Amino acid sequence: MISIQNVSKRFGKFKAVDNINIEVEKGEIFGLLGLNGAGKTTTQRMVSTVFQPSEGNITVNGFNSKSDSSEVRRNIGFLPTEVGLYDRLTAREVIKYFGILNDIDENRINDKIDEVLEKLSLVEYANKRCGKLSRGNKQKVAIARAIIHEPPVFIFDEPTSGLDVISSRAVLDFVKQCKDDGRTILYSSHSMYETEEICDKIAVIHDGKILMTDSIEHIQKEHGSLEKAFIAAVKGERS
Ligand SMILES: Nc1ncnc2c1ncn2[C@@H]1O[C@H](COP(=O)(O)OP(=O)(O)OP(=O)(O)O)[C@@H](O)[C@H]1O
Ligand SMILES: [Mg+2]
């Protein structure tokens, strides 16, 4: 569903992503792990067509991110780390605006918004201005607006970062529900525990390179826990 082949990204002389290969199958949750500055966000931005790879190819649902970038955008919902909502608009208005931008039929949009508000337990906040919402509810609105066009692929950059236990749980349960609905998810996180819980496979990125790719099941069998495997991989690079 997502194919990243020999992809690199240069910012001037600096190589932020260095010849990575990742395959994400339909219905999988694939985790990107790595220290600050490892290249996770850069990778997710390239898949989302925010910018193009300097080298290599990315396809999403068979569409090439360079030659078919608008098709790729139709096939993905991208939740960036830094979420800017329009504080003066209500949750419903923000979601509606993005739905219209994504060509959702105006006759169907209100039903779709109701559905997504329900799924994210946002119904009671629908008519509140975004500026007045808690961080957790802002994040849920950001998720709702990213996926209102019901794309098959979601790209979530640290969706639980800074959220309390209850809000994180709601987001994680939502992501799992999306997987059960057959969606494919490229997910980044600094939490080993949540990654272990929700991801099928992971890649550890370090200095733009992939140090390991494996299934969570196999990692737990081999190393006992994801945290142990991650620290061993990253420390090995530093010594
Ligand atoms: N637009 C840009 N211009 C120049 N350098 C950039 C740009 N975007 C990212 N970088 C650099 O690329 C490297 C990878 O950054 P990236 O944001 O992908 O890391 P990350 O793994 O998402 O880190 P974090 O865990 O802190 O979110 C960093 O050294 C960063 O400073
Ligand atoms: Mg990042």
Side-chain angles (χ1 to χ4, degrees):
M1 199 63 159
I2 304 174
S3 181
I4 302 177
Q5 293 172 342
N6 305 111
V7 163
S8 299
K9 180 69 189 177
R10 284 197 182 80
F11 294 111
K13 282 190 181 155
F14 175 69
K15 227 176 188 181
V17 170
D18 192 355
N19 197 25
I20 64 166
N21 287 281
I22 291 174
E23 295 292 327
V24 188
E25 305 296 331
K26 183 180 183 316
E28 261 179 8
I29 305 182
F30 191 102
L32 292 177
L33 298 174
L35 303 179
N36 294 130
K40 304 178 296 296
T41 296
T42 304
T43 301
Q44 288 179 306
R45 285 183 179 152
M46 286 190 284
V47 178
S48 309
T49 78
V50 172
F51 46 56
Q52 293 294 338
S54 309
E55 285 149 38
N57 270 299
I58 299 176
T59 61
V60 177
N61 203 10
F63 297 105
N64 187 286
S65 72
K66 272 184 198 157
S67 50
D68 284 322
S69 57
S70 50
E71 269 310 319
V72 169
R73 283 192 288 276
R74 259 191 278 281
N75 275 272
I76 58 160
F78 178 38
L79 177 80
T81 356
E82 301 295 327
V83 177
L85 297 172
Y86 300 95
D87 283 354
R88 294 167 67 85
L89 296 187
T90 66
R92 178 179 283 280
E93 286 166 344
V94 165
I95 302 165
K96 189 167 187 174
Y97 177 67
F98 276 78
I100 291 167
L101 278 185
N102 279 292
D103 290 335
I104 299 179
D105 187 343
E106 288 219 31
N107 297 319
R108 287 169 53 232
I109 198 152
N110 286 322
D111 289 347
K112 278 205 185 295
I113 294 171
D114 287 338
E115 230 172 82
V116 82
L117 288 170
E118 179 78 41
K119 269 192 193 162
L120 285 159
S121 312
L122 275 174
V123 176
E124 63 184 295
Y125 305 101
N127 299 317
K128 292 222 157 69
R129 287 188 185 196
C130 291
K132 298 235 158 96
L133 296 177
S134 70
R135 180 149 183 192
N137 283 329
K138 275 187 186 157
Q139 184 70 331
K140 287 185 188 174
V141 174
I143 291 172
R145 81 170 186 192
I147 59 147
I148 187 66
H149 55 305
E150 299 181 305
V153 176
F154 295 169
I155 298 165
F156 284 174
D157 194 356
E158 297 191 37
T160 59
S161 171
L163 301 191
D164 68 31
V165 180
I166 303 284
S167 299
S168 295
R169 175 48 48 201
V171 170
L172 292 176
D173 287 347
F174 176 76
V175 173
K176 288 202 274 188
Q177 196 187 326
C178 294
K179 173 190 158 81
D180 293 344
D181 293 343
R183 313 226 184 250
T184 307
I185 298 146
L186 183 62
Y187 191 94
S188 74
S189 175
H190 286 291
S191 162
M192 299 295 139
Y193 307 104
E194 72 175 42
T195 303
E196 237 166 1
E197 181 188 329
I198 69 164
C199 292
D200 299 293
K201 288 188 193 150
I202 60 105
V204 174
I205 307 187
H206 190 72
D207 288 341
K209 296 188 183 70
I210 293 188
L211 298 183
M212 65 184 274
T213 309
D214 208 342
S215 69
I216 293 289
E217 204 179 342
H218 190 246
I219 288 170
Q220 286 172 334
K221 236 181 242 163
E222 289 281 300
H223 299 268
S225 73
L226 178 59
E227 185 177 14
K228 283 186 186 149
F230 177 82
I231 291 174
V234 172
K235 267 198 173 161
E237 284 300 299
R238 291 187 142 189
S239 55

